[in-house]
Amino acid sequence: MSQENATDYRAMWADLGLDLAKHDALLGALGQMYQEVYLSQADRPESMRYFDFVMSEVHGLRVKELLDAQAAGRRVVGTFCVFVPEELVLAVDGVAVGLCAGAEFGTEAAERYLPRNTCALIKSFFGFTLEKVCPYTAACDLVVGENTCDGKKKSYEHFGGMVKRFYLMDMPQMKSTAGRALLAGEYRRFAAELEELSGREITVAALRRGIETVNAKRAAIRRLNQLRAADPTPISGRDALLIQQVSFYDDPVRFTGSVNAVCDELERRIAAGKGTAPAGRPRILISGCPMAVPNWKLPPIVEAAGAVIVGEESCVGMRGLRNEVSTDGDSVASLIENLVDRYFNIDCATFTPNPERIGHIREMVDELAADGVIHYALQFCAPYQIESVKVEEQVERGGVPVLRVDTDYGSEDVEQLRTRVEAFVERIAR
Ligand code: BJ8
C-alpha cells in the first residue's frame, strides 16, 4: 500500500483497466491507515516485518506475481467465502485469492445496484469493482460466488456481469443429509469447472498436494492462535488479524513459512514472559462477521481501551481454520468427499439452525481464557445480527459477558463504539 514503488506498477494497473487517479487516492488513504494502526505499535514481533512488506506490496508485487502466473498458463480464481475450497484450485495449479473488501469505497456507485440497507462487505466489493480500484478482481480468470446470505446471492446477479467469467456455487442452508449431498455435488461440479477453465485434469496426486498445502497453512494459523492463550499475550489482536487477512492473498507455501516464523518468535517471547501488554489485562474474544482487509476498525478501539484480543471467532479467524482435510483415499472422488467432510462443519450463520457456533464460541472462551466476548456484526447482515441474540443469551448464561456491536466500515460511529467498548472493558476487568 505504499506509493514508493507505485511508479513501477502504473503500467500494470493501467493494463488491468484501473482508474489510476482513484487508485492513487485509495492507496494513499490505506497507507496512512496502515501507519496509524500497525506501524505505530510499540514492540511488535520482528517477524511481522514480512507482513508489513506484503501489505506494502499488496496491489503491487503480489498482483504482478498473479499476472506472471497467468502468463505461465496458470489460472487465477477469486472467491468471497471460506466454503470455496482452495484445495481444488491448487489441484489444477491455479491461484486462489480472496476478493472481499473491508473499506468504504464507491458507495454511491454500489447503491445504483444495491439498496442502502445492504451490508458494507457487499457494497464494498461492488464499489471497488465499479470504481475500478481492485487489481485482484480485474486480474481474475474466474470469480466464484456462492449462495450463502440473500444479500450475496442476489447481488451476484449483477456482479456476475462485471467480471471476466463468473461461476455460482449453490450452498445448503441446513446441516442435513440432503444438505451434505448438495455440497458434495457442488464441489464435484466446481472441480469440473476448474478442469475446463485450466485445461488440466485433477489427479489424485495433485489434489492430495493441494490438500496438504492448505492443511499446512491452516495448521500454522491455528498454531498462532493457540499461542495467544498465553498471558501476557505475545501478539496484538490487530497483528493476528492482519496475518489471517493476508492468508487470503499470499502464496500459501510462503505464507505458511512466514506464519511459522512468527510462531517461533512468539514461543520465545512467551518463554521470556514478554507480551504486547502487561499480564492480567481483560481478555476479549471477537465473534461474528468476517473482517476483510483493510477493515481494522474495531481492534484498535478494543486495545486502546486497555483490553487484549485473544481470538477471532470469524471466517477471518477460527471459523475458517478448524479441522484438517484427510488425505486418505485413492481416487479423486474420495478426496472430494474428504473435502466435504471438513467444509460441511463450517458454522456459518447462513445455516439454520446453527448451534455448533455457540459451542465453538464457548470452546474458544475456555481455551483462550477470555473474560468477555464482543459480537461484531455488520449492519444489515441478517444472519449474524439475528444470531447474535442467541450468542448473547447462551454465552452469558455460562457466566461470560457479551457486548453486541453492529457497525459498518464508516467512521461516524467510532466515538460511540469507543464509549461502549470502554464501559464493557471496565465491566469485565478482573
Ligand atoms: S462462511 S460468514 S465467508 S458467507 S456480512 S455478505 S453474511 S450480509 S460474509 Fe461469509 Fe462464507 Fe458465511 Fe464465512 Fe452476507 Fe452478512 Fe454481508 Fe457476509
Side-chain angles (χ1 to χ4, degrees):
M1 285 177 193
S2 81
Q3 286 188 301
E4 284 156 34
N5 301 329
T7 43
D8 301 344
Y9 298 120
R10 293 189 85 76
M12 174 180 84
W13 294 330
D15 284 350
L16 285 170
L18 299 195
D19 180 321
L20 295 183
K22 287 180 183 159
H23 187 248
D24 283 350
L26 175 72
L27 287 195
L30 293 182
Q32 194 183 335
M33 203 198 309
Y34 195 77
Q35 173 69 39
E36 285 162 14
V37 175
Y38 282 97
L39 302 180
S40 64
Q41 295 178 96
D43 203 18
R44 293 171 79 205
E46 277 286 303
S47 44
M48 282 307 296
R49 282 209 191 139
Y50 170 77
F51 295 91
D52 292 339
F53 174 72
V54 170
M55 289 310 292
S56 73
E57 288 286 346
V58 73
H59 278 201
L61 188 58
R62 184 58 185 144
V63 176
K64 185 173 179 306
E65 286 180 346
L66 297 186
L67 298 178
D68 289 347
Q70 255 170 350
R74 300 174 69 193
R75 295 287 175 259
V76 178
V77 178
T79 62
F80 293 99
C81 180
V82 297
F83 266 103
V84 180
E86 184 177 359
E87 294 89 338
L88 288 173
V89 178
L90 295 177
V92 295
D93 199 26
V95 186
V97 286
L99 296 178
C100 284
E104 210 174 39
F105 201 92
T107 305
E108 213 178 295
E111 287 179 358
R112 289 205 299 271
Y113 295 89
L114 305 168
R116 289 193 68 190
N117 59 349
T118 303
C119 87
L121 190 148
I122 298 173
K123 274 191 195 167
S124 181
F125 69 72
F126 265 68
F128 272 62
T129 304
L130 289 166
E131 297 287 1
K132 299 186 172 45
V133 294
C134 181
Y136 289 93
T137 310
C140 281
D141 296 296
L142 179 74
V143 171
V144 184
E146 74 313 315
N147 284 344
T148 44
C149 65
D150 283 354
K152 275 184 171 175
K153 179 166 69 187
K154 294 305 286 183
S155 66
Y156 291 139
E157 290 178 12
H158 295 300
F159 196 73
M162 299 175 193
V163 295
K164 214 180 289 169
R165 176 166 168 170
F166 183 77
Y167 178 87
L168 185 63
M169 185 180 281
D170 201 6
M171 283 290 302
Q173 305 272 292
M174 293 178 77
K175 298 280 173 77
S176 57
T177 309
R180 192 191 181 287
L182 171 62
L183 192 66
E186 285 299 290
Y187 282 3
R188 288 192 293 271
R189 190 170 70 90
F190 182 49
E193 170 79 4
L194 291 169
E195 289 184 325
E196 204 267 311
L197 176 79
S198 63
R200 285 168 176 261
E201 197 187 329
I202 296 180
T203 62
V204 172
L207 183 50
R208 189 173 285 134
R209 250 195 329 273
I211 291 172
E212 284 165 356
T213 300
V214 182
N215 278 347
K217 171 162 99 165
R218 293 198 184 110
I221 318 177
R222 286 200 304 270
R223 180 182 169 208
L224 168 83
N225 283 333
Q226 279 156 5
L227 294 171
R228 297 165 74 189
D231 188 17
T233 179
I235 184 166
S236 68
R238 65 190 93 171
D239 274 334
L241 174 66
L242 179 73
I243 292 173
Q244 298 178 88
Q245 289 173 330
V246 167
S247 71
F248 292 90
Y249 295 86
D250 203 2
D251 172 80
V253 174
R254 183 175 62 200
F255 172 86
T256 301
S258 306
V259 178
N260 279 320
V262 172
C263 293
D264 293 344
E265 185 180 349
L266 297 188
E267 280 172 357
R268 292 193 295 276
R269 280 189 162 219
I270 292 169
K274 199 166 163 189
T276 52
R281 289 279 175 97
R283 298 167 66 84
I284 286 183
L285 174 72
I286 294 186
S287 166
C289 289
M291 291 181 183
V293 76
N295 178 1
W296 305 310
K297 183 172 175 176
L298 188 59
I301 295 176
V302 175
E303 293 178 338
V308 291
I309 298 167
V310 292
E312 294 76 26
E313 187 281 317
S314 153
C315 286
V316 184
M318 278 305 288
R319 192 179 312 124
L321 301 170
R322 277 185 199 96
N323 305 323
E324 300 220 324
V325 177
S326 165
T327 51
D328 294 346
D330 50 13
S331 66
V332 170
S334 60
L335 293 178
I336 291 180
E337 281 299 311
N338 297 350
L339 289 176
V340 181
D341 284 343
R342 185 241 164 219
Y343 280 81
F344 198 52
N345 287 315
I346 296 174
D347 55 355
C348 173
T350 57
F351 278 85
T352 187
N354 191 30
E356 298 86 359
R357 181 166 164 237
I358 291 167
H360 285 142
I361 296 172
R362 287 189 173 137
E363 241 170 64
M364 288 184 75
V365 164
D366 289 346
E367 284 167 11
L368 298 165
D371 302 303
V373 174
I374 296 184
H375 190 280
Y376 166 87
L378 286 174
Q379 266 160 16
F380 312 121
C381 170
Y384 282 90
Q385 285 188 301
I386 295 174
E387 200 162 279
S388 70
V389 179
K390 280 204 165 166
V391 170
E392 182 181 49
E393 271 172 17
Q394 296 185 29
V395 174
E396 289 211 331
R397 206 174 294 151
V400 179
V402 175
L403 174 70
R404 284 199 278 145
V405 162
D406 297 322
T407 186
D408 56 19
Y409 292 169
S411 54
E412 294 77 18
D413 62 346
V414 163
E415 288 315 312
Q416 189 205 2
L417 274 180
R418 197 184 304 286
T419 309
R420 293 186 63 213
V421 167
E422 281 170 359
F424 184 67
V425 170
E426 216 168 284
R427 179 176 154 210
I428 63 171
R430 293 177 270 182

